Amino acid sequence: MKRLLLLFGFLVFFFPMTVYAEDLIPNATSGLLMEASTGKIIFEKEKNKEVPVASMTKMVAQIIILESIEAGKIKWDDVIEVSKNASEMGGSQIYLEAGEKMSVKDLFKGISMASANDATVQMAEVIGGSEKGFVKLMNQKVKELGLKNTHFENCTGLDQDGHYSSAYDMGMIARELLSHEEILNFSSVYEDYLRQNTEKKFWLVNTNKLVF
């Protein structure tokens, strides 16, 4: 298998091919391949089309959390008491319980590796005072980035009217997130644990299968 991959790489390098987005993502509504350091678009398909973006929404939440840490507003080792509201979030989660205490670092780990809705809402409440307050910060951030086809109604990406973005805007958001290099300490890890040394030890496996 490795030899086949090396051969493929050799052929692509020495015999460049014209590749169209429609060939690579025929069933996708839209898409974008962008070179991160320069922002150069390698290919695109309906890049400005407004579509639901699910948990990619959390990239903006991560940016705001990292900015808050860099500004000294919160610290990685701050211990947060989980609210009832956060504990009741469905979908992807790390099964937070109301009254449970967890560090900012572990909550961020849950967001980055497991796309945890409950951890995202909990951090939203810490930074924004409420999820609604945090979503205002998210929408302010995309305006600061000059993005025209994005608007959020929640911090998790759960489907909701008026909650959308585009492939281009998501690419620019990803570039901004990568400018905070500490994100790679979380997003590049394949597996880890929460609640270690307790009876409720929780195994985290990165939802990004490319990491493995």
Side-chain angles (χ1 to χ4, degrees):
M1 183 64 181
K2 288 182 179 179
R3 289 179 181 176
L4 287 173
L5 290 173
L6 287 171
L7 176 61
F8 177 75
F10 175 86
L11 290 171
V12 170
F13 183 79
F14 285 100
F15 302 99
M17 298 175 290
T18 300
V19 179
Y20 298 97
E22 289 76 9
D23 297 329
L24 295 177
I25 50 173
N27 299 317
T29 300
S30 60
L32 184 85
L33 180 61
M34 178 184 287
E35 202 287 313
S37 63
T38 64
K40 179 181 179 181
I41 296 175
I42 298 169
F43 73 71
E44 63 185 77
K45 177 181 179 181
E46 297 285 352
K47 69 176 182 178
N48 293 317
K49 186 177 180 62
E50 295 174 357
V51 294
V53 289
S55 283
M56 287 190 292
T57 297
K58 295 185 178 78
M59 289 195 293
V60 181
Q62 289 171 310
I63 290 169
I64 294 173
I65 294 168
L66 289 168
E67 287 180 342
S68 296
I69 289 170
E70 291 161 4
K73 296 178 182 178
I74 55 175
K75 298 181 178 66
W76 287 118
D77 58 0
D78 284 350
V79 176
I80 308 300
E81 184 171 335
V82 176
S83 71
K84 183 175 184 293
N85 179 54
S87 71
E88 292 176 345
M89 290 302 301
S92 300
Q93 57 184 302
I94 52 174
Y95 301 98
L96 293 174
E97 297 181 3
E100 177 181 4
K101 295 181 179 180
M102 186 171 286
S103 70
V104 167
K105 184 176 182 179
D106 280 352
L107 288 167
F108 194 77
K109 192 185 297 183
I111 297 168
S112 302
M113 295 182 64
S115 189
N117 292 337
D118 48 2
T120 307
V121 170
Q122 184 56 64
M123 287 306 306
E125 292 177 350
V126 169
I127 294 172
S130 65
E131 181 179 6
K132 185 176 181 179
F134 188 78
V135 171
K136 286 183 179 179
L137 298 177
M138 293 173 66
N139 286 318
Q140 288 173 12
K141 175 55 61 178
V142 295
K143 286 182 180 179
E144 289 172 13
L145 295 174
L147 306 180
K148 306 296 185 183
N149 298 300
T150 298
H151 184 267
F152 300 121
E153 291 290 338
N154 60 66
C155 65
T156 60
L158 293 173
D159 284 345
Q160 190 171 346
D161 289 342
H163 188 104
Y164 57 83
S165 187
S166 67
Y168 175 78
D169 285 9
M170 281 286 116
M172 295 301 292
I173 288 167
R175 283 193 73 206
E176 176 66 19
L177 179 57
L178 286 171
S179 73
H180 303 273
E181 294 184 2
E182 200 152 10
I183 184 62
L184 297 176
N185 295 332
F186 298 86
S187 62
S188 65
V189 177
Y190 174 65
E191 62 180 348
D192 206 333
Y193 290 90
L194 297 176
R195 305 181 183 94
Q196 292 209 54
N197 304 315
T198 74
E199 294 180 355
K200 296 183 178 180
K201 186 175 181 180
F202 188 80
W203 184 36
L204 284 177
V205 178
N206 202 316
T207 55
N208 181 0
K209 303 308 178 187
L210 291 174
V211 173
F212 183 69

